[in-house]
Amino acid sequence: MWYFLNVIFNILNKKIYNYFPYPYFVSVVHLFVGVVYCLVSWAVGLPKRAPMDANLLKLLFPVAVCHALGHVTSNVSFAAVAVSFTHTIKALEPFFNAAASQFILGQSIPITLWLSLAPVVLGVSMASLTELSFNWVGFISAMISNISFTYRSIYSKKAMTDMDSTNLYAYISIIALFVCIPPAIILEGPKLMKHGFGDAITKVGLTKFITDLFWVGMFYHLYNQLATNTLERVAPLTHAVGNVLKRVFVIGFSIIVFGNKISTQTGIGTAIAIAGVAIYSYIKAKMEEEKRQAKAA
């Protein structure tokens, strides 16, 4: 379900950008639809809303800010370049995670882990050099998104609470929504009022425009919700490998659906990067498992 929803989200999202290139506004819509979904779920008691206090809010705020920044910059990249290319760059996320663990958290990262990241960096570099849709806005935005999501995972570890993942993700979405609204109004508000909405409605009609935005928001929220629920239920290794395979799915489907022309070098680079992430995920999760067993012993 996680893969299925993710693939549909990525395809519908890119289709919207093809006629409505306003990533800041669309990011707000993604979060807004999700927040409405959460509020309705809480209202009917599925799940029961977990209480929130000032201390928890303080812990969750940096997580939500990183989530908002990572989400918006991902969307700026999706709007600027091919979906397959954004996902190839986002395969670098483990590299940023390792760097942050070593240099910010002070954890020592073994040499085997660093070596497993070499093919990821090489593959992304190869893919970037010959990517036909390459532009700097798309590339830099995807990189900022990687850094944001790395910080999100660092702050998430600090904010680990007894709250279940569904409630936790709901609160993060609500805070992130408030973070995303001001830049959307400042950067895209005037253009949207002037011709953005009008152009989109002229191209596809009001009904399709609204339903597209509604469904892309629903798929965004549900795939994230399922990813969070999956993380809660499986070992880190399973989830990490699952994340790698998800990128393979999304890249493959987006190339088929949009008929993106990719050069041989980009194809090989993408394959090397994904293989590197798989090796990294395997080594990292094995280390976690050994740590857990040592603790239990």
Side-chain angles (χ1 to χ4, degrees), residues 70-294:
H71 177 51
V72 169
T73 48
S74 292
N75 276 288
V76 171
S77 183
F78 285 138
V81 294
V83 173
S84 52
F85 183 50
T86 300
H87 276 280
T88 303
I89 302 165
K90 282 169 77 66
L92 277 173
E93 212 175 297
F95 176 79
F96 286 97
N97 264 321
S101 299
Q102 177 110 37
F103 303 115
I104 297 168
L105 296 178
Q107 298 168 352
S108 67
I109 302 289
I111 191 74
T112 45
L113 214 50
W114 282 113
L115 288 174
S116 72
L117 287 168
V120 185
V121 178
L122 172 75
V124 172
S125 308
M126 273 177 71
S128 303
L129 287 171
T130 53
E131 169 58 44
L132 303 172
S133 75
F134 183 91
N135 68 46
W136 283 107
V137 171
F139 180 80
I140 292 166
S141 300
M143 283 301 220
I144 295 170
S145 156
N146 278 336
I147 296 165
S148 305
F149 286 140
T150 296
Y151 273 96
R152 182 184 68 179
S153 69
I154 290 171
Y155 287 125
S156 294
K157 285 190 180 79
K158 289 180 181 173
M160 272 302 172
T161 63
D162 298 332
M163 197 185 285
D164 65 284
S165 59
T166 305
N167 270 300
L168 203 59
Y169 185 65
Y171 281 122
I172 288 168
S173 296
I174 292 167
I175 303 165
L177 174 63
F178 285 106
V179 174
C180 287
I181 289 171
I185 292 170
I186 295 160
L187 295 167
E188 293 179 346
K191 280 187 278 187
L192 284 170
M193 299 315 288
K194 205 168 161 192
H195 51 76
F197 292 127
D199 288 354
I201 293 162
T202 308
K203 280 176 195 161
V204 297
L206 181 62
T207 313
K208 180 169 168 50
F209 181 48
I210 291 170
T211 51
D212 275 0
L213 288 175
F214 169 75
W215 283 114
V216 83
M218 278 304 284
F219 286 124
Y220 171 74
H221 181 78
L222 292 174
Y223 102 70
N224 271 294
Q225 185 60 74
L226 276 165
T228 314
N229 294 153
T230 308
L231 181 57
E232 202 176 39
R233 286 172 172 78
V234 299
L237 171 60
T238 317
H239 198 268
V241 172
N243 227 343
V244 177
L245 290 176
K246 180 201 80 178
R247 293 217 190 282
V248 177
F249 259 73
V250 173
I251 288 168
F253 273 101
S254 69
I255 288 168
I256 294 162
V257 172
F258 295 107
N260 292 344
K261 299 275 182 290
I262 61 160
S263 66
T264 312
Q265 189 177 321
T266 297
I268 294 167
T270 302
I272 292 171
I274 296 294
V277 176
I279 297 163
Y280 166 84
S281 304
Y282 179 73
I283 295 170
K284 177 102 167 85
K286 236 178 133 77
M287 281 163 47
E288 295 284 329
E289 195 57 47
E290 280 161 18
K291 229 188 273 172
R292 238 201 339 262
Q293 282 170 357

